[in-house]
Each structure stands twice: as C-alpha cells, then as structure tokens.
Amino acid sequence: MSSEQPTVLLVEDEPAQREVLAYNLEAEGFRVLRAGDGEEAMMMVEEDAPDIILLDWMLPNISGIEICRRLKTRPNCRDVPIIMISARSEEVDRVRGLETGADDYVIKPYSVIELMARVRTQLRRVRPSTVGVQLGFEDIVLDSETHRVTRAGKELKLGPTEFRLLATFMEKPGRVWSREQLLDRIWGRDIYVDTRTVDVHIGRLRKALTRHGGTDPVRTVRGAGYALG
Ligand code: CA
C-alpha cells in the first residue's frame, strides 16, 4: 500500500450511509477502513494507524463523543485528526462545549464535496505529501502532485519507493523513523519485507539526493533508524 494513499477510518453504524461515504472516499483516492461501532474503531486504530478518522456521533454502546475523548487521550492517536459527524447542529454545539478534542465537525445531511474538503484540510496539516502540496527542506523541493523532486533547482530522478521515503521524511524533518515504522508506512503491513530492504532504499535515496552535489541530508541514528536533518 502506497504512502501517498491516506487511510481514513470511517466509524458509522448504518451500513447504507457508511457505504455511500466509503465509496466517495475511495473514488477520491483514499484507502478506507470501516468500523460499525466504537470497540471496532478502537481496535482498528491500534492495528492500522489511520491518517484521519471520520466519527459518527450516534453509535451503539459507546457514543462518538466518548470514543473521540478516549482516542485523543492515547499518545499514538493524539495527532490523528478526528472529524465528528452529527445529525443536528445542537449536537455539534455540545461537542464543542464538551471539548472532546475533535478537530472538525460536519452536520448531516452534509455535502460530500464539503466533507472531502474538510478531510483534505485536516490531512494537509498532518500528512501534506498526500494532498498535493509542495514540501521543502533546505534546498530540496518535493511536489507531491507532479512527483518531481529538485535540489538547488536541479531535477532529481527518484524511484517510487525513494520518493515515498523522501515524502515521509519531509513531512516531519528531524523526526527519527525506525526501520519498522518506515516499513509500515512505505510498504504496508500486508507485505513481508525485510528491514534490510529499508537500508537498501535509503542508500538509493542518498545517492539520488547527492548526485549533483550537496551534503547527505539523511541522518543515520544508531540503534534507532533514520531522520532527515
Ligand atoms: Ca449512526
């Protein structure tokens, strides 16, 4: 699974509504995980680290608000944007008042176009390389839409895996990524790839980045992994 395809966790108990929304999200290029209730949603968050969560207010057993509150207290989930979907505007007022930590709110019936725009706004904040923007780091510029990478104005040729690695690094310069985290993000969990494969592609990325000169911006962090800068 490519890192350019953001994963949306959709939590909605009504199958018809869930499928319509999932269909639209998939048509927009998102990978969609479906959950019918809170317990399922909490499990999927652990297993699959979604990039964004669309959370219905009215759910069986645990309410959407309560799920939102629980997710936002987890360290591994705090930065994942949550958009709450609710049936009435009074509910949205309550969500705001309750300070659940939701990042945005949409009222049913919502327009799909509006919802997509909100999803993109949230993703632009946390996963900019997935929504068609330019990322910059020192003299390196990566355009996620045209897949062009330049350094000091000169175009660099990168393979698809090297491009994804660089996009991941450029989203969070300075962050140290373990080999396992890079495997999850670049190759996905479904495919068995040895961690040494990561080293091979890091080597290729370094070669591509320094082809026209300049220092190697990729840092090896002993016993931890890799970082940009
Ligand atoms: Ca519902």
Side-chain angles (χ1 to χ4, degrees):
M1 198 55 68
S2 128
S3 75
E4 266 69 65
Q5 195 183 28
T7 301
V8 180
L9 171 59
L10 175 58
V11 193
E12 165 67 80
D13 58 316
E14 283 146 67
Q17 288 192 27
R18 189 172 62 229
E19 286 316 303
V20 168
L21 191 48
Y23 173 84
N24 281 290
L25 287 162
E26 281 167 353
E28 287 282 312
F30 296 105
R31 174 173 169 247
V32 182
L33 306 170
R34 298 157 167 86
D37 60 42
E39 279 99 347
E40 215 179 332
M42 306 287 270
M43 236 165 56
M44 284 181 160
V45 165
E46 287 302 316
E47 284 172 7
D48 217 310
D51 295 302
I52 186 164
I53 301 167
L54 298 184
L55 184 56
D56 186 36
W57 164 292
M58 292 290 284
L59 292 169
N61 308 322
I62 318 170
S63 77
I65 301 176
E66 183 53 30
I67 294 161
C68 184
R69 194 181 290 131
R70 288 188 198 178
L71 289 176
K72 285 292 182 182
T73 58
R74 292 188 183 187
N76 64 341
C77 204
R78 203 173 292 147
D79 299 328
V80 179
I82 298 180
I83 299 179
M84 290 280 306
I85 301 172
S86 105
R88 292 191 308 271
S89 56
E90 306 92 81
E91 289 177 348
V92 168
D93 291 338
R94 265 183 72 200
V95 178
R96 286 205 187 98
L98 288 166
E99 289 172 2
T100 52
D103 299 89
D104 203 357
Y105 317 87
V106 174
I107 301 163
K108 286 182 186 176
Y110 50 81
S111 97
V112 172
I113 291 168
E114 187 204 343
L115 182 58
M116 293 301 160
R118 286 170 185 243
V119 168
R120 286 185 191 286
T121 300
Q122 292 300 325
L123 283 174
R124 195 165 289 130
R125 199 166 55 77
V126 292
R127 300 268 340 254
S129 78
T130 61
V131 283
V133 292
Q134 280 202 343
L135 299 177
F137 176 77
E138 292 174 355
D139 57 351
I140 303 166
V141 177
L142 177 146
D143 188 309
S144 67
E145 216 151 36
T146 60
H147 275 227
R148 282 184 74 216
V149 178
T150 59
R151 182 162 195 194
K154 288 189 181 126
E155 185 151 4
L156 303 179
K157 291 264 171 280
L158 264 65
T161 303
E162 287 70 45
F163 181 89
R164 278 183 228 138
L165 275 170
L166 183 61
T168 299
F169 284 140
M170 287 183 77
E171 281 177 347
K172 288 189 173 121
R175 172 183 164 165
V176 179
W177 294 84
S178 71
R179 288 173 178 80
E180 288 74 19
Q181 285 169 333
L182 290 171
L183 274 179
D184 275 355
R185 191 161 259 220
I186 312 295
W187 284 268
R189 290 197 180 184
D190 306 337
I191 304 160
Y192 179 75
V193 185
D194 196 86
T195 50
R196 273 170 303 184
T197 307
V198 177
D199 300 335
V200 170
H201 287 277
I202 291 282
R204 288 185 193 161
L205 174 62
R206 283 178 154 147
K207 210 171 154 194
L209 288 173
T210 54
R211 182 149 295 149
H212 304 297
T215 54
D216 179 5
V218 181
R219 189 161 49 97
T220 304
V221 185
R222 197 175 288 272
Y226 296 104
L228 185 69

